[in-house]
Amino acid sequence: MDAGLVALALMDGVSYAALLFLVALGLTLIFGVMNILNIAHGSLYAWGGYLAASFGIAITQHGWPAALSLPLLFAAALLVGLVLGSVLEIGLLRRILDKDPILQLLVTFAAFMMLEDLQRMVWGGQPYFVSEVVNQLGTLEVAGVTYTRYQLLVLPTVALLAYGGLRLFLVRTALGRQITAVTHHREVATAMGVDAARVSWLTMVIGAALGALGGALASPTTSLTPGIGAEMMVLSFAVVATAGLGQIGGAGLAALLIGIVRSFSIYLLPEIEVLVPYLIMVAVLLVRPQGMFANVAARRI
């Protein structure tokens, strides 16, 4: 295999894995604390992407400084996390915390469908694509292959910072330790004085912002079209299931595995590219049904 092709596949795989990890990180955080698999999470990815693209178009149309391109990607993710995350948690998720998991899936799927329709009402069905920030950062050459700095440096760096920042927040801060306490046992944490409702709201906002950040960072390199949220939702679920539900660190390794193998399949066996994430997930779950990094829980009889 040509060295340039290997380098290109690795760089594509790492940059794609970074986006996939950000979305999966938000999804697994919400599940770990609230024990709800939020199907609407895919819509947050799409909303983050569309809002970031709208900001990019506004920069071009109004002649705003090009230096705002990158900060506005993060602003779009934060705005989606605060607004849609709060609406979903207060108006929906806290009302179904103790309901049957099947009902939770159905309700969050209904929320996903409504957010998808609202997205079409706001942005229509035309593709959105704004590459100003990618052009601004330029390219570099690795192993004879020219690649954008944005994909090679910015995306993995943001993913690593998001993971490290979240770990430090959970371990080093009082509020983070409250989130950890609720994750382990909600009732006991509440009995000890932890405001579980506030913890759930904060968790949802952070998780929603991470999902939206994946979409916002993807917007300069991906053509945004209706249905992109559903595609990312399924892929991020494959990452979470492969790593094990609630495994934050494991999600990063699972995303890297899926991203790199998928990237190589695009260049070598493009006909199976769509199947690769699910083949990896099935292979892992056949051997370890709880996921690669999840601990086997004792069964109470």
Side-chain angles (χ1 to χ4, degrees):
M1 187 185 300
D2 181 71
L5 181 62
V6 173
L8 185 60
L10 285 173
M11 290 185 288
D12 280 347
V14 170
S15 63
Y16 183 76
L19 295 174
L20 196 54
F21 172 60
L22 286 171
V23 183
L25 183 61
L27 181 65
T28 197
L29 175 66
I30 294 169
F31 178 85
V33 176
M34 306 179 72
N35 203 32
I36 293 177
L37 188 59
N38 180 25
I39 303 299
H41 196 71
S43 288
L44 302 174
Y45 171 87
W47 274 79
Y50 273 101
L51 186 58
S54 298
F55 285 164
I57 292 172
I59 288 175
T60 302
Q61 290 179 342
H62 295 88
W64 295 344
L68 290 175
S69 298
L70 187 58
L72 283 178
L73 297 181
F74 296 96
L78 182 59
L79 185 59
V80 171
L82 282 172
V83 176
L84 290 185
S86 296
V87 169
L88 285 172
E89 197 282 324
I90 296 172
L92 186 66
L93 296 189
R94 69 172 54 177
R95 301 173 186 273
I96 59 172
L97 275 177
D98 299 321
K99 303 299 182 182
D100 186 272
I102 300 300
L103 178 62
Q104 293 174 347
L105 287 174
L106 292 174
V107 170
T108 55
F109 179 73
F112 168 79
M113 296 299 293
M114 288 188 286
L115 287 173
E116 286 286 289
D117 288 340
L118 186 58
Q119 169 200 306
R120 287 186 175 89
M121 290 174 59
V122 175
W123 285 286
Q126 296 300 317
Y128 272 65
F129 181 73
V130 180
S131 59
E132 179 62 34
V133 66
V134 177
N135 299 333
Q136 186 182 12
L137 292 175
T139 61
L140 49 76
E141 188 172 305
V142 178
V145 177
T146 301
Y147 209 75
T148 65
R149 285 188 174 90
Y150 178 81
Q151 290 176 280
L152 185 60
L153 301 178
V154 174
L155 298 184
T157 299
V158 171
L160 288 173
L161 288 175
Y163 171 72
L166 182 60
R167 295 291 298 185
L168 285 175
F169 171 71
L170 293 176
V171 174
R172 300 291 185 181
T173 68
L175 192 53
R177 288 192 289 270
Q178 289 179 20
I179 292 176
T180 303
V182 173
T183 302
H184 287 294
H185 205 294
R186 190 180 189 90
E187 290 77 12
V188 172
T190 302
M192 296 178 67
V194 175
D195 188 346
R198 184 181 67 157
V199 166
S200 295
W201 171 81
L202 180 62
T203 299
M204 185 63 196
V205 168
I206 294 173
L210 288 169
L213 181 59
L217 293 176
S219 62
T221 60
T222 304
S223 181
L224 300 170
T225 57
I228 193 171
E231 178 184 353
M232 182 53 72
M233 177 61 215
V234 176
L235 286 170
S236 61
F237 176 74
V239 171
V240 171
T242 301
L245 292 172
Q247 298 299 310
I248 292 177
L253 295 176
L256 190 61
L257 172 64
I258 289 175
I260 290 177
V261 175
R262 173 186 175 274
S263 180
F264 273 97
S265 71
I266 290 174
Y267 291 101
L268 301 177
L269 291 170
E271 58 272 14
I272 68 166
E273 174 262 323
V274 176
L275 295 176
V276 164
Y278 314 113
L279 291 175
I280 294 174
M281 178 182 70
V282 170
V284 169
L285 295 182
L286 284 175
V287 179
R288 287 182 61 84
Q290 71 276 14
M292 285 194 298
F293 302 100
N295 296 321
V296 180
R299 185 177 179 185
R300 184 166 54 189
I301 300 177

Short mmCIF file of all heavy atoms in Angstrom, two decimals, residues 45-58 61 118-132 215-216 218-228:
data_model
loop_
_atom_site.label_atom_id
_atom_site.label_comp_id
_atom_site.label_asym_id
_atom_site.label_seq_id
_atom_site.Cartn_x
_atom_site.Cartn_y
_atom_site.Cartn_z
N TYR A 45 -26.71 17.70 16.97
CA TYR A 45 -25.58 17.74 16.03
C TYR A 45 -25.94 18.56 14.80
O TYR A 45 -25.18 19.44 14.37
CB TYR A 45 -25.19 16.32 15.65
CG TYR A 45 -24.18 16.22 14.53
CD1 TYR A 45 -22.81 16.27 14.78
CD2 TYR A 45 -24.60 16.03 13.21
CE1 TYR A 45 -21.89 16.16 13.75
CE2 TYR A 45 -23.68 15.93 12.18
CZ TYR A 45 -22.33 15.99 12.45
OH TYR A 45 -21.42 15.90 11.42
N ALA A 46 -27.11 18.27 14.23
CA ALA A 46 -27.54 18.98 13.02
C ALA A 46 -27.78 20.46 13.30
O ALA A 46 -27.37 21.33 12.51
CB ALA A 46 -28.81 18.33 12.46
N TRP A 47 -28.42 20.78 14.42
CA TRP A 47 -28.68 22.18 14.77
C TRP A 47 -27.37 22.94 14.98
O TRP A 47 -27.24 24.09 14.57
CB TRP A 47 -29.56 22.25 16.02
CG TRP A 47 -31.02 22.17 15.69
CD1 TRP A 47 -31.73 21.05 15.41
CD2 TRP A 47 -31.96 23.26 15.62
NE1 TRP A 47 -33.04 21.35 15.16
CE2 TRP A 47 -33.21 22.69 15.29
CE3 TRP A 47 -31.86 24.62 15.82
CZ2 TRP A 47 -34.36 23.48 15.14
CZ3 TRP A 47 -33.00 25.41 15.68
CH2 TRP A 47 -34.23 24.84 15.34
N GLY A 48 -26.41 22.31 15.63
CA GLY A 48 -25.11 22.96 15.80
C GLY A 48 -24.45 23.25 14.47
O GLY A 48 -23.88 24.33 14.27
N GLY A 49 -24.53 22.29 13.54
CA GLY A 49 -23.94 22.49 12.23
C GLY A 49 -24.62 23.59 11.44
O GLY A 49 -23.96 24.47 10.85
N TYR A 50 -25.94 23.58 11.41
CA TYR A 50 -26.67 24.59 10.65
C TYR A 50 -26.50 25.99 11.24
O TYR A 50 -26.35 26.97 10.50
CB TYR A 50 -28.16 24.22 10.60
CG TYR A 50 -28.53 23.31 9.46
CD1 TYR A 50 -28.72 21.95 9.67
CD2 TYR A 50 -28.69 23.80 8.17
CE1 TYR A 50 -29.06 21.10 8.63
CE2 TYR A 50 -29.03 22.96 7.12
CZ TYR A 50 -29.21 21.60 7.36
OH TYR A 50 -29.54 20.77 6.32
N LEU A 51 -26.52 26.09 12.55
CA LEU A 51 -26.35 27.41 13.17
C LEU A 51 -24.94 27.94 12.93
O LEU A 51 -24.76 29.14 12.63
CB LEU A 51 -26.64 27.32 14.67
CG LEU A 51 -26.65 28.66 15.43
CD1 LEU A 51 -27.70 29.60 14.84
CD2 LEU A 51 -26.92 28.43 16.91
N ALA A 52 -23.94 27.06 13.01
CA ALA A 52 -22.56 27.49 12.74
C ALA A 52 -22.42 27.93 11.28
O ALA A 52 -21.75 28.93 10.99
CB ALA A 52 -21.60 26.34 13.04
N ALA A 53 -23.05 27.20 10.36
CA ALA A 53 -23.00 27.58 8.96
C ALA A 53 -23.69 28.93 8.73
O ALA A 53 -23.23 29.76 7.94
CB ALA A 53 -23.66 26.51 8.09
N SER A 54 -24.79 29.17 9.44
CA SER A 54 -25.49 30.45 9.33
C SER A 54 -24.60 31.59 9.82
O SER A 54 -24.57 32.68 9.22
CB SER A 54 -26.79 30.41 10.14
OG SER A 54 -27.67 29.42 9.63
N PHE A 55 -23.88 31.35 10.91
CA PHE A 55 -22.94 32.37 11.40
C PHE A 55 -21.84 32.63 10.36
O PHE A 55 -21.44 33.77 10.13
CB PHE A 55 -22.30 31.91 12.71
CG PHE A 55 -23.22 32.01 13.90
CD1 PHE A 55 -22.92 31.35 15.09
CD2 PHE A 55 -24.37 32.77 13.85
CE1 PHE A 55 -23.75 31.45 16.19
CE2 PHE A 55 -25.22 32.88 14.95
CZ PHE A 55 -24.90 32.21 16.11
N GLY A 56 -21.36 31.56 9.72
CA GLY A 56 -20.32 31.72 8.70
C GLY A 56 -20.82 32.53 7.51
O GLY A 56 -20.09 33.38 6.97
N ILE A 57 -22.05 32.29 7.10
CA ILE A 57 -22.64 33.05 6.00
C ILE A 57 -22.79 34.52 6.40
O ILE A 57 -22.55 35.43 5.60
CB ILE A 57 -24.00 32.44 5.59
CG1 ILE A 57 -23.78 31.06 4.97
CG2 ILE A 57 -24.74 33.36 4.62
CD1 ILE A 57 -25.05 30.30 4.71
N ALA A 58 -23.21 34.76 7.65
CA ALA A 58 -23.37 36.13 8.13
C ALA A 58 -22.04 36.88 8.12
O ALA A 58 -21.99 38.07 7.79
CB ALA A 58 -23.97 36.12 9.54
N GLN A 61 -21.47 37.84 4.46
CA GLN A 61 -22.42 38.83 3.94
C GLN A 61 -22.24 40.21 4.57
O GLN A 61 -22.41 41.24 3.89
CB GLN A 61 -23.85 38.34 4.17
CG GLN A 61 -24.23 37.15 3.30
CD GLN A 61 -25.64 36.67 3.56
OE1 GLN A 61 -26.24 36.99 4.59
NE2 GLN A 61 -26.19 35.90 2.63
N LEU A 118 -38.56 21.02 12.48
CA LEU A 118 -38.32 22.44 12.77
C LEU A 118 -37.05 22.92 12.06
O LEU A 118 -36.99 24.05 11.57
CB LEU A 118 -38.19 22.63 14.28
CG LEU A 118 -38.06 24.07 14.79
CD1 LEU A 118 -39.26 24.91 14.34
CD2 LEU A 118 -37.95 24.09 16.31
N GLN A 119 -36.05 22.06 11.99
CA GLN A 119 -34.83 22.39 11.28
C GLN A 119 -35.12 22.66 9.80
O GLN A 119 -34.59 23.61 9.21
CB GLN A 119 -33.84 21.23 11.41
CG GLN A 119 -32.62 21.29 10.51
CD GLN A 119 -31.98 19.93 10.36
OE1 GLN A 119 -31.65 19.29 11.35
NE2 GLN A 119 -31.82 19.48 9.12
N ARG A 120 -35.97 21.84 9.18
CA ARG A 120 -36.32 22.05 7.77
C ARG A 120 -37.10 23.35 7.59
O ARG A 120 -36.95 24.04 6.57
CB ARG A 120 -37.14 20.87 7.25
CG ARG A 120 -36.34 19.60 7.04
CD ARG A 120 -37.19 18.52 6.40
NE ARG A 120 -36.42 17.33 6.08
CZ ARG A 120 -36.22 16.32 6.89
NH1 ARG A 120 -36.75 16.36 8.12
NH2 ARG A 120 -35.52 15.28 6.53
N MET A 121 -37.94 23.68 8.57
CA MET A 121 -38.70 24.93 8.49
C MET A 121 -37.77 26.14 8.54
O MET A 121 -38.00 27.14 7.85
CB MET A 121 -39.71 25.01 9.65
CG MET A 121 -40.86 24.04 9.53
SD MET A 121 -41.92 24.07 11.00
CE MET A 121 -42.43 25.79 11.02
N VAL A 122 -36.72 26.07 9.34
CA VAL A 122 -35.80 27.20 9.51
C VAL A 122 -34.83 27.31 8.34
O VAL A 122 -34.63 28.40 7.78
CB VAL A 122 -35.04 27.08 10.84
CG1 VAL A 122 -33.99 28.19 10.96
CG2 VAL A 122 -36.00 27.13 12.02
N TRP A 123 -34.22 26.19 7.95
CA TRP A 123 -33.14 26.23 6.94
C TRP A 123 -33.51 25.64 5.59
O TRP A 123 -32.72 25.72 4.66
CB TRP A 123 -31.90 25.52 7.50
CG TRP A 123 -31.18 26.32 8.54
CD1 TRP A 123 -30.40 27.43 8.33
CD2 TRP A 123 -31.17 26.10 9.96
NE1 TRP A 123 -29.92 27.90 9.53
CE2 TRP A 123 -30.36 27.10 10.55
CE3 TRP A 123 -31.75 25.15 10.79
CZ2 TRP A 123 -30.13 27.18 11.91
CZ3 TRP A 123 -31.53 25.23 12.15
CH2 TRP A 123 -30.73 26.23 12.70
N GLY A 124 -34.69 25.02 5.49
CA GLY A 124 -35.10 24.45 4.22
C GLY A 124 -34.36 23.17 3.89
O GLY A 124 -33.70 22.56 4.73
N GLY A 125 -34.45 22.77 2.61
CA GLY A 125 -33.83 21.52 2.19
C GLY A 125 -32.56 21.69 1.39
O GLY A 125 -31.97 20.70 0.94
N GLN A 126 -32.11 22.94 1.19
CA GLN A 126 -30.90 23.17 0.42
C GLN A 126 -29.65 22.91 1.26
O GLN A 126 -29.62 23.20 2.44
CB GLN A 126 -30.87 24.62 -0.08
CG GLN A 126 -32.00 24.98 -1.05
CD GLN A 126 -31.96 24.12 -2.31
OE1 GLN A 126 -30.90 23.88 -2.87
NE2 GLN A 126 -33.12 23.65 -2.73
N PRO A 127 -28.60 22.36 0.63
CA PRO A 127 -27.35 22.10 1.37
C PRO A 127 -26.70 23.40 1.85
O PRO A 127 -26.77 24.42 1.17
CB PRO A 127 -26.46 21.40 0.34
CG PRO A 127 -27.38 20.89 -0.71
CD PRO A 127 -28.53 21.86 -0.75
N TYR A 128 -26.11 23.35 3.03
CA TYR A 128 -25.36 24.48 3.59
C TYR A 128 -23.89 24.06 3.68
O TYR A 128 -23.58 22.98 4.18
CB TYR A 128 -25.87 24.84 4.98
CG TYR A 128 -27.01 25.82 5.00
CD1 TYR A 128 -28.25 25.50 4.46
CD2 TYR A 128 -26.86 27.09 5.56
CE1 TYR A 128 -29.29 26.40 4.48
CE2 TYR A 128 -27.90 28.00 5.58
CZ TYR A 128 -29.11 27.64 5.03
OH TYR A 128 -30.14 28.55 5.05
N PHE A 129 -23.02 24.94 3.24
CA PHE A 129 -21.59 24.64 3.30
C PHE A 129 -20.81 25.95 3.36
O PHE A 129 -20.95 26.79 2.48
CB PHE A 129 -21.15 23.82 2.09
CG PHE A 129 -19.68 23.46 2.11
CD1 PHE A 129 -19.19 22.51 2.99
CD2 PHE A 129 -18.79 24.09 1.25
CE1 PHE A 129 -17.85 22.17 3.00
CE2 PHE A 129 -17.44 23.75 1.26
CZ PHE A 129 -16.98 22.80 2.14
N VAL A 130 -20.02 26.13 4.42
CA VAL A 130 -19.20 27.33 4.58
C VAL A 130 -17.81 26.88 5.00
O VAL A 130 -17.64 26.27 6.05
CB VAL A 130 -19.79 28.29 5.63
CG1 VAL A 130 -18.91 29.52 5.76
CG2 VAL A 130 -21.21 28.68 5.27
N SER A 131 -16.81 27.17 4.17
CA SER A 131 -15.45 26.67 4.43
C SER A 131 -14.46 27.78 4.75
O SER A 131 -13.25 27.59 4.62
CB SER A 131 -14.95 25.89 3.21
OG SER A 131 -14.94 26.72 2.05
N GLU A 132 -14.96 28.93 5.19
CA GLU A 132 -14.08 30.08 5.42
C GLU A 132 -12.97 29.78 6.43
O GLU A 132 -11.80 30.11 6.21
CB GLU A 132 -14.92 31.27 5.91
CG GLU A 132 -14.11 32.53 6.22
CD GLU A 132 -13.40 33.07 5.00
OE1 GLU A 132 -13.95 32.95 3.88
OE2 GLU A 132 -12.29 33.61 5.15
N GLY A 215 -21.36 18.98 15.39
CA GLY A 215 -21.96 19.50 14.16
C GLY A 215 -21.35 20.82 13.73
O GLY A 215 -21.11 21.06 12.54
N ALA A 216 -21.08 21.71 14.70
CA ALA A 216 -20.51 23.02 14.37
C ALA A 216 -19.12 22.86 13.76
O ALA A 216 -18.79 23.54 12.78
CB ALA A 216 -20.45 23.88 15.63
N ALA A 218 -18.03 20.25 12.22
CA ALA A 218 -18.14 19.55 10.94
C ALA A 218 -18.62 20.46 9.81
O ALA A 218 -18.37 20.18 8.64
CB ALA A 218 -19.10 18.36 11.08
N SER A 219 -19.29 21.57 10.16
CA SER A 219 -19.91 22.42 9.14
C SER A 219 -18.94 22.98 8.11
O SER A 219 -19.31 23.13 6.94
CB SER A 219 -20.70 23.55 9.81
OG SER A 219 -19.86 24.39 10.57
N PRO A 220 -17.68 23.32 8.47
CA PRO A 220 -16.77 23.84 7.43
C PRO A 220 -16.25 22.77 6.47
O PRO A 220 -15.66 23.11 5.44
CB PRO A 220 -15.61 24.43 8.24
CG PRO A 220 -16.12 24.61 9.62
CD PRO A 220 -17.09 23.49 9.81
N THR A 221 -16.43 21.49 6.79
CA THR A 221 -15.88 20.43 5.94
C THR A 221 -16.96 19.50 5.40
O THR A 221 -16.66 18.60 4.61
CB THR A 221 -14.87 19.58 6.73
OG1 THR A 221 -15.52 18.97 7.86
CG2 THR A 221 -13.72 20.43 7.23
N THR A 222 -18.21 19.70 5.80
CA THR A 222 -19.30 18.80 5.42
C THR A 222 -20.46 19.61 4.85
O THR A 222 -20.81 20.66 5.38
CB THR A 222 -19.80 18.00 6.64
OG1 THR A 222 -18.70 17.29 7.21
CG2 THR A 222 -20.88 17.01 6.22
N SER A 223 -21.05 19.10 3.79
CA SER A 223 -22.26 19.73 3.25
C SER A 223 -23.44 19.31 4.11
O SER A 223 -23.75 18.12 4.22
CB SER A 223 -22.47 19.29 1.80
OG SER A 223 -23.62 19.89 1.25
N LEU A 224 -24.08 20.28 4.75
CA LEU A 224 -25.18 19.99 5.66
C LEU A 224 -26.49 19.83 4.88
O LEU A 224 -26.91 20.73 4.17
CB LEU A 224 -25.32 21.12 6.68
CG LEU A 224 -24.10 21.37 7.56
CD1 LEU A 224 -24.26 22.66 8.35
CD2 LEU A 224 -23.85 20.20 8.50
N THR A 225 -27.10 18.68 5.02
CA THR A 225 -28.36 18.39 4.34
C THR A 225 -29.33 17.76 5.33
O THR A 225 -28.90 17.21 6.36
CB THR A 225 -28.14 17.41 3.17
OG1 THR A 225 -27.51 16.21 3.68
CG2 THR A 225 -27.26 18.02 2.09
N PRO A 226 -30.64 17.82 5.07
CA PRO A 226 -31.60 17.15 5.96
C PRO A 226 -31.28 15.67 6.09
O PRO A 226 -30.96 15.00 5.12
CB PRO A 226 -32.94 17.37 5.23
CG PRO A 226 -32.74 18.62 4.45
CD PRO A 226 -31.32 18.59 4.00
N GLY A 227 -31.35 15.17 7.31
CA GLY A 227 -31.04 13.77 7.57
C GLY A 227 -29.66 13.54 8.15
O GLY A 227 -29.35 12.42 8.59
N ILE A 228 -28.83 14.58 8.16
CA ILE A 228 -27.47 14.40 8.67
C ILE A 228 -27.47 14.08 10.16
O ILE A 228 -26.59 13.38 10.67
CB ILE A 228 -26.61 15.65 8.35
CG1 ILE A 228 -25.13 15.34 8.58
CG2 ILE A 228 -27.05 16.84 9.20
CD1 ILE A 228 -24.22 16.44 8.10
#
